[in-house]
Structures are given as structure tokens and as C-alpha cells.
Amino acid sequence: MNESSKENTMPSIKLNDRGAEVRKLQLLLNSLLTPRPNLRVDGHFGQRTHQAVIAFQKGKGLTPDGQVGPKTRAALGLKSISVPIAAPVASSAPWMDIAIAELGVHEDLLPGQHNARIVEYHQTTTLKATDDETPWCSSFVNWVIKQSGRSGTNSAAAKSWLNWGVEVTSPTPGTIVVIKKKTPGFTQATGSSSGFHVGFFVSLSPSHIRLLGGNQANQVKYSNFPLSSYEVKGYRKPL
């Protein structure tokens, strides 16, 4: 009996499915399987994703049916994904779906403990920090961009993104944004001592810029940054 035949409130994820949950699945399989399957995080449950699920199930002693039912979900730690309606995704910025799938990743508050996912973000930079206390907004952006099949800055410095890609004047959802706090000193909202922060553009109003980013109140989340306190230093997109 395969997992999909068991009663469950969440439907199985299976071959030919598409969407944000498939992207999250692909990210998890890339992180958890050895050797790494290097799945393209495109949200399409194709044959390579199907084979990776089977490999994961075999490794966990689960029925290798290639479908992500309740037991495989539990083994993966995969929860249902709810994408806020107020978060438009631009087709020209496919990495936004990858960033959205990371919503809720947060620092481990226990002394001496560090979230392995955030440490994984750090490994995409030359700093390669091994904790979740080192400022990680740039590490998060580098990780997301790398998962989309592109190259980032490889730097843990938020301002490094000012030299990446090309500058744009009219941002769209997914545009990379570098902001800087107008007053010096440590910034609690972003964990930054330099004042610089980088994230993905969501929206802009006369008073605020809304970003999806990492290390925003110690987690991956949407945040509104008041333009009275922050200056936009640049909008960037890939070459």
C-alpha cells in the first residue's frame, strides 16, 4: 500500500506536479541526499525529482513509490506551504519562489546551537561562517541565487551586491535591493553593524520599502523598512 492511499489532509506530491511545494521539496532533496542530486529548483516534479524521492525513501526505509505522502513528508520535515496573496512573483525573477519557500527559517535561540539551514546559506560565501549569529542577509541572497542556477557575489557583505549584475531604476518583485540605515550603529532589525542590508524587492510606498530577506528580525520574512530611516543604495538584476 503506498502513502497516497492513507488518509491525510495534505495531498501527496507526485510526478508532474508543479508549484511552490515542489520547489521546497527539491531544495530539501538537494540538502539531504548524499550524493547531492543537484536538482534544478524549478517547481516541476519531473523524472529526476521522482528518482531523488525514491532514493530518499529507500534511505529512510520507506516504501519507494516516488510520491511524497504523509510519511515521506514527515521524514523530510516538509510542511504545507502557504504563499501570502500580497507577495506577487515576477516571472523574470524565478528565484523569488525559492526565497518564499524559505519563509520562517530562523536562528536557533538555544545557547551554542545554530540552525543548519542558515549555516548552509553561509557556505555560499567566502566567509563560510559556521554559526547563525554572523549577519546572514547576503548569505541568504547568495544561496537563493545559487539555487536558481546563477552566480551571486560569493560575499557575506550586503554592499557587495551593489557591484553585481546591472543597475535598474524601476524595481519589480524579485529585484535585489541594497539599503542602508541613515544613522550609524548596530541595527536590531537586520543584525547589521555596517548599516547595509540586502534583500528581494516586494513593493514600494511613499513611506516604506518592503523586502523579503534573511536576517530580518533573525529570520527569513517580509519586512517593511521606513524610508525615513533607510536609504535605497541600489536596485540590481542579473546581467
Side-chain angles (χ1 to χ4, degrees):
M1 181 181 294
N2 64 31
E3 293 187 51
S4 61
S5 64
K6 297 181 183 296
E7 184 177 346
N8 184 48
T9 57
M10 295 181 187
S12 294
I13 311 172
K14 59 189 183 302
L15 195 63
N16 296 322
D17 282 351
R18 294 177 182 270
E21 275 206 318
V22 178
R23 288 186 180 89
K24 182 70 172 179
L25 169 64
Q26 290 165 330
L27 289 168
L28 286 169
L29 291 169
N30 279 340
S31 297
L32 298 173
L33 279 175
T34 303
R36 182 185 174 95
N38 292 316
L39 299 172
R40 182 178 180 185
V41 184
D42 59 3
H44 176 217
F45 197 129
Q47 285 295 336
R48 290 193 64 217
T49 301
H50 180 72
Q51 291 303 316
V53 169
I54 289 174
F56 177 81
Q57 290 171 324
K58 287 180 177 178
K60 294 294 183 179
L62 300 170
T63 302
D65 59 6
Q67 296 188 34
V68 183
K71 290 185 178 180
T72 302
R73 277 182 181 273
L76 286 162
L78 182 64
K79 297 180 180 179
S80 182
I81 295 172
S82 176
V83 179
I85 294 174
V89 178
S91 59
S92 60
W95 52 84
M96 270 297 270
D97 284 331
I98 297 171
I100 288 169
E102 296 297 294
L103 283 169
V105 172
H106 57 82
E107 296 175 15
D108 194 320
L109 299 180
L110 294 176
Q113 300 298 310
H114 305 287
N115 188 318
R117 190 60 153 190
I118 296 173
V119 173
E120 183 180 334
Y121 300 157
H122 280 312
Q123 303 318 297
T124 62
T125 73
T126 55
L127 183 62
K128 297 188 183 299
T130 57
D131 60 72
D132 62 11
E133 296 168 356
T134 299
W136 49 280
C137 66
S138 182
S139 296
F140 174 69
V141 175
N142 268 292
W143 183 88
V144 169
I145 293 298
K146 183 177 180 180
Q147 294 298 319
S148 74
R150 297 164 176 80
S151 296
T153 67
N154 302 318
S155 172
K159 65 180 180 180
S160 67
W161 292 92
L162 291 173
N163 298 314
W164 178 84
V166 295
E167 185 175 11
V168 296
T169 56
S170 299
T172 56
T175 298
I176 291 175
V177 185
V178 178
I179 60 175
K180 186 180 182 184
K181 197 169 188 294
K182 294 180 179 180
T183 55
F186 178 78
T187 306
Q188 185 66 42
T190 61
S192 172
S193 56
S194 69
F196 283 95
H197 179 68
V198 63
F200 298 102
F201 179 83
V202 177
S203 62
L204 180 66
S205 74
S207 60
H208 291 79
I209 186 167
R210 185 169 177 80
L211 303 181
L212 167 56
N215 212 172
Q216 294 180 181
N218 300 326
Q219 61 183 300
V220 178
K221 66 187 294 286
Y222 294 101
S223 297
N224 293 323
F225 293 91
L227 296 175
S228 59
S229 300
Y230 291 88
E231 178 185 2
V232 175
K233 303 299 288 186
Y235 297 118
R236 311 295 294 191
K237 70 176 184 178
L239 290 170

